[in-house]
Amino acid sequence: MFNLPPPDILFQLSLNGALGGAMYGVAAVGLSLIFGTMRLIFLAQGAMIILAAYFVRALFYGLGIDPFLSLLIVVPVGLGVGWLIYQGLFRKAAAEEDRNVSLLIAVGLMFLVQNLMTVVWGGNTAGVVTSYTASGIELFGVRTSFTRSMGFLIALAGTGLVMLFLRKTIVGKAVRAASEDMDSAMLMGISPHRVNAIAFAIGIALAGAAGVAVATTFPFNPFAGFIFSLKALVALALGGIGNVTGALAGGILLGLIEAYVQYFISGGWTNAIAYGVFLLVLMFKPEGLFSRPYKKA
């Protein structure tokens, strides 16, 4: 017979799931921005997250910079790297009607970054251990990880800043217009390459922010990024492709699903059920759980 756990255990599960899922969510927000303008599922997003995690680790052990303070370095660097990657690899391909070219470039970039990280840092598992790594905080009588809580705040702050940018700035409104109808945006004088580059740069900057959360919370290796890409893609589908806030909500929902499956069924079923939910959403509600239904032509 199925029995619900005590309320405090259920709250602990929900809290841990939401905190962990927020990291999937912030990665999915970056994917959402890139897809919105370029119509590209950027499979190298996870590799960029792990690259940022290694960068955070290098700043901490090499220069003594606190991982969370390194956000002030990692995010601007991510913006610059994203801009350069778009200009160097995707600018020409983005103008092509065939999106498979951009997809193949993204896959190639993922393998390149993975192998470069292996050459530079080796293939062994790494991590960042600070004085507060094992610390916890009390929340409504439940103790949870300090680093996971900080990761959740990073995800909320990143998503909030992106929403402010998209809604309150002229450039952000141009990005939104291009994501809704690129042809009409071009008729209004909006440069597709400019909005693509901006969206791509912000997407990589969000990968940098997620890298800080990953570095302080999980052990990682050069090949861990592919899993993050998959989980971000699942979160994106759950929340609604092109929906920024839905992407974060989708990540949190995915984290909750994983936490409940691990407790009620088995850890071995976590990925299978998560991907099963992913397929069911695509089959029966392809616009996502937090988006309006598509209009039929």
Side-chain angles (χ1 to χ4, degrees), residues 17-38:
L19 295 181
M23 283 184 271
Y24 301 147
V26 71
V29 170
L31 279 183
S32 180
L33 277 174
I34 294 171
F35 180 86
T37 58
M38 295 176 62

Side-chain angles (χ1 to χ4, degrees), residues 149-172:
S149 300
M150 289 296 295
F152 185 80
L153 292 178
I154 288 172
L156 289 182
T159 305
L161 289 173
V162 168
M163 290 304 302
L164 285 175
F165 167 76
L166 293 175
R167 293 179 177 178
K168 301 297 183 181
T169 68
I170 294 176
V171 176

Side-chain angles (χ1 to χ4, degrees), residues 10 14 93 101 128 191 204 226 235 255 257 271 278-279 290 294 296:
L10 187 61
S14 302
V101 176
V128 175
S191 168
I204 301 302
F226 185 64
I257 291 172
N271 288 334
F278 168 62
L279 292 176
F290 306 104
Y294 296 137
K296 295 183 179 180

Side-chain angles (χ1 to χ4, degrees), residues 39-92:
R39 296 298 183 264
L40 166 68
I41 300 296
F42 185 59
L43 290 177
Q45 184 80 343
M48 301 306 295
I49 291 173
I50 300 302
L51 179 60
Y54 274 110
F55 184 39
V56 170
R57 186 175 185 272
L59 290 174
F60 178 64
Y61 288 114
L63 300 176
I65 299 175
D66 182 88
F68 294 116
L69 288 180
S70 70
L71 276 168
L72 301 175
I73 300 173
V74 174
V75 171
V77 169
L79 283 169
V81 169
W83 182 277
L84 291 174
I85 289 175
Y86 174 79
Q87 298 295 345
L89 295 179
F90 290 98
R91 181 182 175 90
K92 185 177 179 180

Side-chain angles (χ1 to χ4, degrees), residues 141-205:
V142 174
R143 188 171 180 82
T144 189
S145 165
F146 171 77
T147 54
R148 280 178 177 261
S149 300
M150 289 296 295
F152 185 80
L153 292 178
I154 288 172
L156 289 182
T159 305
L161 289 173
V162 168
M163 290 304 302
L164 285 175
F165 167 76
L166 293 175
R167 293 179 177 178
K168 301 297 183 181
T169 68
I170 294 176
V171 176
K173 291 176 181 178
V175 171
R176 287 176 61 198
S179 67
E180 292 176 6
D181 191 333
M182 182 64 82
D183 292 334
S184 298
M186 291 171 64
L187 292 175
M188 297 172 62
I190 296 173
S191 168
H193 288 306
R194 185 171 182 233
V195 295
N196 283 344
I198 290 170
F200 198 92
I202 295 174
I204 301 302

